Amino acid sequence: MAGHFPFAGKRGTRYGLAPRGTITAFFENQGFNNELQEKYYKWWYDFAKDFVSNDRDLSATMGIRFHSYPMGTHARHSFHLNDKFWSVSMDELGSFISNVILPKLDVDAMHKLEQDHQAMLDSLREEAQGNPREAPPDVGLFRHV
């Protein structure tokens, strides 16, 4: 039960495609600028934080992960991604959601999450129409050099 989320696919391939590359492509495909990327991240952050705080086991073992925003080891770092900050942050948060939270959801909860996600995406897409992202360069920014 992976859901239809950009971070919920298989991690890594024989071609070396990182999940943050998938998330970067997702943001570019949606036309999300940095502000909208953060809104997308914040929606998931709030979902995960609420889920963890309402789960006795997770609140005791994982609650500390949400004491800062954004969460995670790689928070506030874009590494070699040339300012793809929210892709890196979403990758780490998405991994946590995929591996820890999604397996705890039943079919009905997953269905509701997918519907809520779609509604949020539709809202951000509308916002992106009036607040477009900068056009990507001819040579992609997501590469190791």
Side-chain angles (χ1 to χ4, degrees):
M1 202 175 6
H4 302 289
F5 315 122
F7 53 79
K10 291 185 179 187
R11 302 187 90 54
T13 68
R14 64 184 181 143
Y15 302 109
L17 182 63
R20 57 190 141 188
T22 303
I23 295 167
T24 298
F26 170 78
F27 286 152
E28 287 181 2
N29 187 46
Q30 300 301 319
F32 292 172
N33 61 18
N34 281 339
E35 178 186 335
L36 296 176
Q37 290 174 31
E38 181 179 7
K39 285 183 179 184
Y40 184 85
Y41 175 89
K42 180 77 165 88
W43 188 88
W44 280 111
Y45 176 88
D46 290 343
F47 163 78
K49 184 177 181 178
D50 290 345
F51 190 94
V52 167
S53 69
N54 292 316
D55 184 283
R56 280 182 47 156
D57 291 334
L58 291 180
S59 66
T61 59
M62 303 284 188
I64 195 163
R65 289 182 174 226
F66 296 94
H67 286 187
S68 66
Y69 175 86
M71 64 82 77
T73 306
H74 299 114
R76 300 178 189 24
H77 300 284
S78 61
F79 297 101
H80 50 268
L81 294 180
N82 299 318
D83 299 321
K84 299 300 184 198
F85 176 84
W86 293 110
S87 296
V88 173
S89 297
M90 192 67 236
D91 175 34
E92 192 160 354
L93 177 60
S95 179
F96 177 79
I97 292 168
S98 291
N99 294 318
V100 177
I101 295 177
L102 295 185
K104 290 180 155 265
L105 298 180
D106 63 19
V107 173
D108 292 336
M110 179 61 87
H111 185 67
K112 180 177 179 344
L113 178 61
E114 289 174 339
Q115 287 178 330
D116 292 347
H117 177 256
Q118 187 61 49
M120 178 268 300
L121 260 182
D122 291 343
S123 173
L124 290 178
R125 285 181 187 132
E126 278 183 40
E127 203 173 328
Q129 302 258 332
N131 191 4
R133 65 183 280 284
E134 230 177 87
D138 290 338
V139 177
L141 293 175
F142 183 77
R143 55 180 80 254
H144 295 264
V145 288

